[in-house]
Amino acid sequence: MRIVVIGGTGFIGGQVVEQLRAAGHDPVIAAPSTGVDTVTGAGLAEAMAGADAVVDVSNSPTMDPEGVMAFFSGSARTIAEAEAAAGVRHHVLLSIVGIDLVPNSAYYRAKVAQEEAARSGEVPVTILRSTQFATFGRQIADWSTVDGRASATHDLVQPVAPSEVAAEIVRLVVESAPAGIVEIAGPDQLHLDELVRATLALLGDDREVDTVDSSPLMGTEGAPEGALTPNPESGHPLTIGRVTWREAVAEAAQHAAS
């Protein structure tokens, strides 16, 4: 299959491209570095030519509330128009578990808009909502550190290995008919502040981590407990990964050191 990977040079996109190639498929990397702009549409028609499916794992280049909304909603509409014109048969979009339960997060609101724009197009869509990546603890620590101290909320999370997210995307685009919303999560639940502390300890990082009630990085104040974990009552098909967050963090650290 010829599969366009929007964001194919990114953290998840690179793994999707690698796994598609290993399985004998023809991934087409669509990213700014390959001359594709999903907001303006520049280069999209050329990338879509002859494609069977599209995977969108792109991320916003800005976290500014207006900018992130403009990117996700604008690019989703542009992609939907381009893939319909090219005769693409299936669109797989990577999203986040709980985005419709966290209205105080500008990033999550933008992802909701992205989902809506993708589903409004002519091409059938599968949306894979993932829980936070197992490597998220290190990111939170780096983003939040002030004067040598990190901070994190006490939100319940169920971190998943990025490699398993990439594998599920590949399975959905290659093996599956369009399936609406599906979810993936890791095997373990813990609180975000606990994840950050344990991740830093595992990496030999001695930064202290303060527990805070709210954070602009999460925007989860007012959200129900467990909003960031799969809801059994949602009716969405759920895949539970086998790789623990500890194993995923150790793997990422080893890869970074090699």
Side-chain angles (χ1 to χ4, degrees), residues 24-217:
H25 298 285
D26 178 21
V28 178
I29 298 173
S33 62
T34 64
V36 176
D37 186 322
T38 55
V39 176
T40 66
L44 260 183
E46 294 80 2
M48 297 281 185
D52 300 293
V54 170
V55 167
D56 185 358
V57 291
S58 60
N59 199 5
S60 172
T62 176
M63 295 296 286
D64 170 74
E66 292 185 2
V68 73
M69 177 62 77
F71 175 81
F72 278 129
S73 60
S75 63
R77 287 191 295 269
T78 304
I79 292 166
E81 293 171 0
E83 62 190 5
V88 169
R89 299 192 298 270
H90 189 187
H91 178 107
V92 177
L93 171 65
L94 178 60
S95 192
I96 309 169
V97 165
I99 56 171
D100 45 357
L101 299 175
V102 190
N104 289 322
S105 168
Y107 189 90
Y108 279 31
R109 289 196 303 271
K111 289 294 289 184
V112 169
Q114 181 190 34
E115 287 190 6
E116 292 173 347
R119 284 184 291 193
S120 70
E122 299 177 14
V123 177
V125 175
T126 298
I127 296 172
L128 176 62
R129 288 184 174 178
S130 169
T131 55
Q132 281 66 37
F133 299 147
T135 52
F136 194 49
R138 176 64 179 270
Q139 289 177 296
I140 286 290
D142 291 344
W143 290 339
S144 67
T145 295
V146 176
D147 295 330
R149 297 184 69 89
S151 63
T153 59
H154 198 58
D155 293 304
L156 188 65
V157 293
Q158 194 167 334
V160 63
S163 59
E164 291 191 312
V165 174
E168 183 66 359
I169 290 169
V170 170
R171 186 191 72 79
L172 288 170
V173 74
V174 171
E175 301 177 9
S176 173
I181 296 175
V182 298
E183 297 184 341
I184 186 170
D188 309 309
Q189 286 191 354
L190 71 166
H191 291 93
L192 183 58
D193 52 348
E194 298 168 345
L195 174 65
V196 175
R197 290 190 187 97
T199 297
L200 293 182
L202 188 64
L203 297 175
D205 190 320
D206 61 1
R207 276 180 288 179
E208 296 290 330
V209 180
D210 298 319
T211 300
V212 294
D213 293 331
S214 63
S215 165
L217 298 173

